[in-house]
Amino acid sequence: GFGLSGVSASAQFYQPTAELTPTVQQQAIQPGQTVTLALKVELPENIHMQSDKPRDPFVIPTLLTFTLPEGVTVEEITYPESTDFLLEDWDEPLAVFDHEFTIEVRLALDADLAPGEVVVPGSFLYQACDDRICFPPKTAAVEWRMDVEAALTPRIEVPTVTEGEVP
């Protein structure tokens, strides 16, 4: 019989999934500004994630990438500090993120960015591990939406009325 026993099949397919909460830190956003995005990552209690700079060459680093719309550039991505985690039977601790952490992203908006809703799609690659094994890497799609207001122009147009004109 080639039947898989129920136990190994379910253990094989159990995979912790990160819950991702994308937020935009600013309320009023105008062209030419810098905007801070945050990605809150939550994993089950006993699960951690490989850091963005793992020591071990065989694990998958956490990586947030973007498909940027026109007029938007990434200035900086800030990952949290990693902590050391020692696996059973490993000599060297792994550099990991705890089961709850936040990644911050600084975006620069072009001065001539058209007002309206701007959608910034991202892709979050991660490898979750417990104290014994690392699960296959996963990629999750995330997106941030922000309303860009029209740029404030200090010029005020005043209609000129010429003397003696009859409306």
Side-chain angles (χ1 to χ4, degrees):
F2 289 106
L4 275 172
S5 80
V7 176
S8 68
S10 63
Q12 209 177 337
F13 294 117
Y14 164 73
Q15 201 178 340
T17 300
E19 200 177 300
L20 305 175
T21 313
T23 54
V24 179
Q25 309 289 46
Q26 281 92 326
Q27 294 307 310
I29 299 168
Q30 279 150 16
Q33 282 187 336
T34 305
V35 178
T36 304
L37 308 180
L39 182 63
K40 186 169 186 239
V41 181
E42 292 177 80
L43 285 160
E45 194 71 40
N46 57 339
I47 304 291
H48 52 263
M49 192 177 284
Q50 297 300 338
S51 88
D52 59 315
K53 298 184 186 72
R55 291 193 197 94
D56 191 313
F58 299 106
V59 298
I60 305 289
T62 294
L63 181 64
L64 180 58
T65 53
F66 294 92
T67 312
L68 291 169
E70 198 73 31
V72 179
T73 45
V74 170
E75 282 192 351
E76 191 181 16
I77 300 181
T78 307
Y79 292 92
E81 291 288 313
S82 63
T83 51
D84 282 354
F85 186 84
L86 199 53
L87 278 173
E88 289 176 20
D89 311 324
W90 282 53
D91 307 332
E92 215 185 332
L94 293 169
V96 301
F97 294 148
D98 214 12
H99 70 103
E100 276 190 30
F101 62 92
T102 301
I103 298 170
E104 282 203 352
V105 182
R106 256 209 346 256
L107 292 183
L109 307 183
D110 284 6
D112 56 3
L113 184 67
E117 187 182 53
V118 175
V119 180
V120 180
S123 179
F124 184 63
L125 169 70
Y126 66 96
Q127 185 170 30
C129 305
D130 62 17
D131 53 5
R132 289 186 311 285
I133 60 162
C134 283
F135 301 93
K138 270 188 157 172
T139 304
V142 280
E143 70 173 24
W144 289 263
R145 290 171 177 272
M146 47 192 173
D147 287 314
V148 176
E149 300 172 353
L152 291 175
T153 47
R155 238 187 17 247
I156 298 169
E157 299 286 333
V158 178
T160 49
V161 179
T162 320
E163 290 276 312
E165 234 182 11
V166 183

